[in-house]
Amino acid sequence: MREWWVQVGLLAMPLLAAYLHIPPPQLFPALHSWKSSGKFFIYKGLHSVGVVGSLEIVVLLLHCFPTSSYDWYKIWGGLTLRFHHVIALDFLGFGFSDKPRPHHYSIFEHLGLQNHRISLLSHDYGDIAAQELLYRYKQNRSGRLTIKSLCIFPETHRPLLLQKLLKDGGLTPVFGPLLQYINQRKKFRRRWVGALVSVTIPIHFIYGPLDPINPYPEFLELYKKTLPRSTMSILDEHISHYPQLEDPMGFLNAYMGFINS
């Protein structure tokens, strides 16, 4: 039940070490294999990394804070069996991507995918990247990008005390720049939620009722009120904020059910 906390801790350690200029610990074998299977690309002179599955519709996986594309490793096999082309990237500042300092981290700098038909699968921090893509798609500003569907979990966000302390407290020089997405979420809420409400593509929501950041039942009631046309899957009552790690089979079944419908 608590395994996802261990995963988050392990993935956050290299991030903290990089910012504190501490040599990171040796990668455990599974994470080293994940890194080796990915490809680095240059974005504005900085290195980012993405893991790419086997071309048709692209399934684009957008990860959470403070982790990385490794969030998806438990469902990677299932996704790549079903889809020809799956991309899981590390946002700049996360995972194996570069972590420049000083740098004004913004969700807007990650949005360069063009000439593809994509299905978005996003989590928390990744949700706002997905919503900005939806906004640009609606405004005909997404290049030749065509969005076919969106699956999110979840969008509305009640920051934990730890996140507030990291953003505004003693560790602000370390984590503050990365946590500016919380401020951006508030500033651009009308734009991003408006994009969700106004687009006509299929939208699905996967929810773990034990999520402390998006508490049950208040969050679910707000979501239904905001997006009444969205379909949803509610997982077992013990599932929390990282359902793809806590219940990978239940999560995959929910996602595949949405796609197949």
Side-chain angles (χ1 to χ4, degrees), residues 2 12 14 19 22 48 59 93 96 98 107 111 132 139 173 179 214 217 224 227 246:
R2 296 297 178 186
Y19 273 94
I22 298 172
S48 294
V59 178
F96 296 115
D98 281 351
I107 205 68
L111 305 172
E132 177 62 20
Q139 300 294 320
L179 279 161
N214 303 279
K224 290 177 179 178
L227 281 176
E246 300 169 70

Side-chain angles (χ1 to χ4, degrees), residues 93-215:
F94 296 84
F96 296 115
S97 292
D98 281 351
K99 301 161 186 67
R101 286 202 309 168
H103 185 76
H104 177 69
Y105 289 91
S106 170
I107 205 68
F108 293 96
E109 66 186 343
H110 298 293
L111 305 172
L113 192 63
Q114 294 182 344
N115 302 314
H116 288 89
R117 298 162 62 230
I118 65 171
S119 288
L120 297 169
L121 176 54
S122 63
H123 182 202
D124 194 74
Y125 179 87
D127 288 346
I128 55 178
Q131 288 170 266
E132 177 62 20
L133 281 171
L134 281 181
Y135 175 82
R136 297 186 185 188
Y137 177 60
K138 182 174 176 288
Q139 300 294 320
N140 294 317
R141 290 165 47 195
S142 60
R144 289 176 290 277
L145 180 71
T146 302
I147 299 175
K148 303 299 292 183
S149 69
L150 168 65
C151 182
I152 59 176
F153 61 111
E155 180 273 328
T156 301
H157 181 269
R158 179 182 297 176
L160 298 175
L161 176 61
L162 176 61
Q163 291 174 302
K164 294 178 180 178
L165 290 174
L166 291 175
K167 182 171 73 76
D168 302 318
L171 285 177
T172 297
V174 178
F175 286 106
L178 288 176
L179 279 161
Q180 290 311 305
Y181 81 95
I182 295 177
N183 295 333
Q184 292 170 4
R185 191 191 296 266
K186 294 177 181 177
K187 180 178 180 180
F188 296 103
R189 178 172 176 78
R190 183 186 298 271
R191 168 180 176 142
W192 289 336
V193 176
L196 274 177
V197 171
S198 61
V199 295
T200 57
I201 66 168
I203 298 177
H204 190 68
F205 173 59
I206 301 176
Y207 182 57
L210 204 59
D211 188 342
I213 298 177
N214 303 279

Side-chain angles (χ1 to χ4, degrees), residues 74-75 78 206 235-236 239 243-257:
K74 284 191 175 182
I75 63 171
I206 301 176
L235 303 179
D236 290 346
I239 303 303
Q244 78 278 36
L245 293 174
E246 300 169 70
D247 183 14
M249 188 55 66
F251 185 92
L252 262 180
N253 287 339
Y255 184 64
M256 295 303 184

Side-chain angles (χ1 to χ4, degrees), residues 42-46 109:
I42 304 297
Y43 174 77
K44 293 186 177 179
L46 301 168
E109 66 186 343

